[in-house]
Amino acid sequence: MTLTRIADILGRDTFPARTLHRDHLHVPGAIESPADLFSFDVLSDLIARHRLESLRLRLYADGEAIPAKEYTEPVTTPTQPPWHRVRPELLREHLEDGASLILDKADDLHEPLSDFAAELEQWLHANVQVNTYASWTSGSPAVVARSPVP
């Protein structure tokens, strides 16, 4: 994927002037192969290797947040502050039941997304944060499109 392709799809000249910071834009197929940037295998690896607190990794079902205690367990150690570890089997159960997973700032954790975000930042002269949304089923969406920022 190249920045040139993304800029052409979004509208090289019109997107920054008319849409950026004013409206949301959903462009199905803008990224030819999303798995090249981020896949379920990558997501599984990140969950296994990182401490992803409930503000960063969340589950939603029917438009409502699922309490983190339903898919995490508390961990305390003598030298670290308490935190919650994701329990993969519980996470999987919720996903199989139709929940959607949201991982904020995935670009901080995965280099291909980080590189992609950096390219967008250079073009747009704005900060870019990549949030990922994943679901195993085609149920109700985890989130609803937001209104444009006033």
Side-chain angles (χ1 to χ4, degrees):
M1 169 178 329
T2 66
L3 178 60
T4 302
R5 176 172 157 46
I6 295 296
D8 288 344
I9 289 170
L10 293 178
R12 179 179 308 280
D13 299 322
T14 58
F15 181 80
R18 295 184 186 159
T19 307
L20 184 64
H21 301 301
R22 293 173 185 82
D23 202 353
H24 64 275
L25 178 65
H26 178 234
V27 185
I31 299 174
E32 288 178 355
S33 182
D36 290 345
L37 283 176
F38 199 81
S39 67
F40 272 107
D41 288 340
V42 169
L43 178 61
S44 294
D45 183 60
L46 294 177
I47 291 170
R49 292 188 305 111
H50 293 277
R51 290 184 180 186
L52 300 172
E53 291 291 337
S54 61
L55 292 177
R56 189 162 201 185
L57 181 128
R58 305 179 303 286
L59 289 181
Y60 278 77
D62 299 319
E64 298 291 326
I66 297 172
K69 66 182 179 182
E70 292 190 24
Y71 55 91
T72 64
E73 65 184 356
V75 176
T76 55
T77 65
T79 59
Q80 298 288 325
W83 62 286
H84 288 81
R85 176 185 298 130
V86 173
R87 293 192 49 203
E89 71 281 4
L90 297 177
L91 184 75
R92 182 181 187 97
E93 285 177 20
H94 284 288
L95 291 171
E96 287 174 345
D97 288 341
S100 295
L101 181 146
I102 300 172
L103 175 60
D104 287 345
K105 301 182 195 172
D107 53 306
D108 288 348
L109 303 170
H110 185 59
E111 190 172 351
L113 284 180
S114 179
D115 293 345
F116 177 63
E119 287 185 53
L120 287 174
E121 287 176 341
Q122 287 177 351
W123 170 46
L124 299 171
H125 304 287
N127 290 329
V128 172
Q129 175 179 313
V130 179
N131 299 334
T132 59
Y133 301 81
S135 180
W136 288 356
T137 62
S138 58
S140 60
V143 294
V144 178
R146 295 183 294 177
S147 301
V149 177

